[in-house]
């Protein structure tokens, strides 16, 4: 809230001018009344991510130096456990595993990373279990996508907006319940305090 108020003052030319000149702010001003559209504020700080942005990032990330470093780091961190390596890497699915394995094998051969038994002698059944699990997840994701009617980017936006509205309604209901439960008590306490002061 404090950061929000500071931003509200600094981003408003009139409020900023008053603050620069007098070192004070108008607490009753519109900028500080708590009526800010926080979604709009968030959008000022961070641009909206689209499906195309994700696809573009994936294209630039795959086979990049950054991905190569991430693969080596994950390999060392998880001591060659391919289950954990595949779960932690960005922009990969089970079809990427042969490519990831080749990168790791090359790094082992060149001495860049140690040779872990969990990777070099991974049981075949573990590989097959990982593949089956990944294929099942992919089928479930596709099924969910069809059920939700998500096709293009516009559909995805509509789904996100719909969920945001649902969350907003849930939050409003929750706040209304809190106000109903505690609001009256708070008012009564304030009245009692005022009454005591009046008696003094």
């Amino acid at each position: 809230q404090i950061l929000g108020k500071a931003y509200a003052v600094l981003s408003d030319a009139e409020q900023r001018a008053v603050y620069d000149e007098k070192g004070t702010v108008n607490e009753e001003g519109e900028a500080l009344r708590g009526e800010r559209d926080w979604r709009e504020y968030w959008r000022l700080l961070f641009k909206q991510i689209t499906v195309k942005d994700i696809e573009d990032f994936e294209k630039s990330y795959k086979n990049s130096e950054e991905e190569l470093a991430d693969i080596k780091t994950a390999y060392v961190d998880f001591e060659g456990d391919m289950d954990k390596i595949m779960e932690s890497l960005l922009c990969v699915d089970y079809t990427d595993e042969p490519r990831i394995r080749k990168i790791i094998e090359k790094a082992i051969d060149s001495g860049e990373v140690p040779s872990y038994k969990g990777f070099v002698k991974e049981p075949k059944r573990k590989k097959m279990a990982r593949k089956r699990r990944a294929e099942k997840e992919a089928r479930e994701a596709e099924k969910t996508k069809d059920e939700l009617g998500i096709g293009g980017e516009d559909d995805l936006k509509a789904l996100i907006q719909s969920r945001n509205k649902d969350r907003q309604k849930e939050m409003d209901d929750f706040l209304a319940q809190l106000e109903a439960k505690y609001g009256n008590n708070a008012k009564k306490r304030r009245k009692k305090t005022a009454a005591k002061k009046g008696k003094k």
Side-chain angles (χ1 to χ4, degrees):
Q1 288 176 342
I2 292 169
L3 289 174
K5 285 186 176 184
Y7 178 84
V9 171
L10 296 175
S11 62
D12 183 279
E14 193 175 323
Q15 287 268 16
R16 176 68 182 264
V18 172
Y19 178 76
D20 288 343
E21 185 181 340
K22 301 180 179 178
T24 60
V25 295
N26 178 13
E27 291 286 343
E28 298 302 316
E30 186 179 340
L32 297 182
R33 266 193 251 137
E35 297 171 2
R36 170 177 293 280
D37 183 343
W38 289 104
R39 190 173 296 167
E40 182 185 338
Y41 169 62
W42 183 265
R43 192 55 58 221
L44 285 172
L45 297 179
F46 306 101
K47 82 180 192 79
Q48 185 166 347
I49 302 298
T50 66
V51 172
K52 187 177 185 305
D53 290 330
I54 296 169
E55 290 171 350
D56 289 344
F57 171 76
E58 186 173 345
K59 286 175 188 174
S60 65
Y61 178 75
K62 280 193 173 182
N63 298 307
S64 68
E65 288 298 319
E66 186 181 358
E67 186 195 38
L68 187 62
D70 288 345
I71 291 169
K72 292 175 187 176
T73 299
Y75 171 77
V76 173
D77 287 348
F78 299 120
E79 298 184 349
D81 186 328
M82 278 301 286
D83 283 352
K84 293 178 180 176
I85 291 169
M86 291 299 292
E87 285 173 8
S88 70
L89 293 174
L90 298 174
C91 306
V92 299
D93 58 35
Y94 71 95
T95 61
D96 288 294
E97 185 170 331
R99 181 177 67 85
I100 304 297
R101 290 194 77 89
K102 283 180 183 177
I103 291 170
I104 294 172
E105 286 165 359
K106 188 177 178 181
I108 292 171
D109 292 341
S110 65
E112 294 176 71
V113 295
S115 175
Y116 292 115
K117 185 179 177 182
F119 175 81
V120 178
K121 295 185 177 179
E122 183 183 38
K124 191 174 181 180
R125 68 177 183 278
K126 190 182 177 197
K127 291 181 188 177
M128 294 304 297
R130 181 167 56 250
K131 184 180 177 183
R132 283 195 299 271
R133 189 165 59 248
E135 287 174 340
K136 182 184 176 185
E137 287 172 1
R139 285 194 301 270
E140 288 174 353
E142 197 62 34
K143 184 181 176 184
T144 302
K145 184 179 168 184
D146 291 339
E147 287 173 354
L148 295 172
I150 301 174
E153 189 170 311
D154 291 338
D155 290 339
L156 182 59
K157 283 182 186 175
L159 176 64
I160 292 170
Q161 287 169 354
S162 172
R163 287 188 174 173
N164 283 341
K165 285 178 184 175
D166 291 342
R167 289 193 190 103
Q168 183 63 49
K169 187 178 182 306
E170 286 172 9
M171 179 57 75
D172 290 344
D173 291 345
F174 174 67
L175 292 174
Q177 288 172 9
L178 286 179
E179 190 175 359
K181 188 172 182 181
Y182 300 108
N184 292 334
N185 291 336
K187 287 176 185 174
K188 286 176 185 175
R189 280 196 297 272
R190 281 198 294 272
K191 285 179 182 176
K192 285 178 182 177
T193 305
K196 284 180 183 176
K197 286 181 180 177
K199 287 177 182 178
K200 288 179 182 179

